[in-house]
Amino acid sequence: MQDWIEIAIPVLQILLIVLLAWLLHRLFKRVIQRASAHYEFPHELLMPIHAVVRWLIIAGSVLLILERLGVSASVLWSAFTGFATVGAVAFFAAWSVLSNLFCAFLIFTVGPFRVGDHIEVLDTAEKPGALGRVIDINLLYTTLEDATAAEPGTMIQIPNSLIFQRVVRRWRMGTPVPADKLYQAAPTARETTAEPAPAPKTVTFP
């Protein structure tokens, strides 16, 4: 009987850990979905958030289960520090990508501009920059339809992190952009070299 109790208690503790991890994942998933409905997060942003939350819960559950199985705390701590070191190196290696992801999250939550707005990304307020209508915002880039290009349909892809490092001038959807900032066709050679029309002849009477 004593042997069965020694086996049953760790098994019950492991099942309890798994159950709590499942409930915690369900809770976080519901919270994230409510936040998504409130702030109108795109589907592309929800996928990495769900993945991060899921793997954090799984990692914590595995550590607790290993502890229940008798793995020493020093071994767990060594494994944790090793994984943390590898994760830190990978984090700094992928910093540019992660910064774009974080800036995309800020764009969706703070809302400095929306799809359909016209924006101009400037180095300074005095110098002209990339100008166009926002047609898409994803996890890495903000795509503009260039308003200064001669060919219609020309796209500009700006990294999300770059937008937070520059001055952004915004025209809300429906607000006209000044004509001097839009593309204007250069005068043709015929227009520039056309001779002026001759002056009408004066009528003389004998």
Side-chain angles (χ1 to χ4, degrees):
M1 190 65 181
Q2 184 69 24
D3 295 337
W4 281 104
I5 293 176
E6 292 179 356
I7 296 175
I9 290 178
V11 171
L12 290 176
Q13 290 176 341
I14 292 173
L15 292 177
L16 182 61
I17 291 172
V18 173
L19 178 61
L20 290 177
W22 180 76
L23 292 175
L24 189 63
H25 180 257
R26 295 275 298 179
L27 176 63
F28 274 103
K29 187 175 181 180
R30 182 171 297 180
V31 171
I32 293 171
Q33 287 177 347
R34 289 186 178 181
S36 172
H38 184 269
Y39 292 104
E40 298 181 354
F41 293 162
H43 180 68
E44 293 83 0
L45 186 61
L46 293 181
M47 293 178 61
I49 294 177
H50 283 304
V52 170
V53 171
R54 181 173 62 253
W55 283 109
L56 286 176
I57 294 175
I58 291 174
S61 302
V62 169
L63 291 177
L64 291 176
I65 291 173
L66 290 176
E67 185 181 2
R68 293 295 92 195
L69 293 176
V71 180
S72 63
S74 60
V75 174
L76 292 177
W77 178 252
S78 300
F80 175 76
T81 54
F83 282 119
T85 303
V86 174
V89 173
F91 177 82
F92 285 107
W95 170 248
S96 59
V97 176
L98 295 176
S99 63
N100 286 325
L101 295 177
F102 180 69
C103 290
F105 177 77
L106 291 179
I107 291 174
F108 290 125
T109 54
V110 179
F113 53 84
R114 301 290 185 185
V115 174
D117 294 345
H118 279 79
I119 63 171
E120 186 177 13
V121 182
L122 312 168
D123 288 331
T124 63
E126 292 79 14
K127 296 181 179 180
L131 171 64
R133 182 173 63 90
V134 180
I135 61 174
D136 183 52
I137 304 171
N138 57 35
L139 296 180
L140 296 178
Y141 297 101
T142 295
T143 304
L144 309 180
E145 184 178 5
D146 194 356
T148 62
E151 296 293 333
T154 303
M155 305 299 174
I156 304 175
Q157 287 188 316
I158 303 174
N160 293 325
S161 59
L162 184 64
I163 291 177
F164 284 88
Q165 301 172 12
R166 297 290 187 269
V167 178
V168 177
R169 183 178 287 130
R170 175 188 182 187
W171 293 269
R172 294 181 182 273
M173 186 186 306
T175 303
V177 181
D180 59 341
K181 291 184 173 295
L182 302 177
Y183 170 76
Q184 296 179 358
T188 61
R190 179 178 297 180
E191 292 176 350
T192 56
T193 60
E195 296 181 357
K201 296 182 178 180
T202 57
V203 179
T204 57
F205 295 93

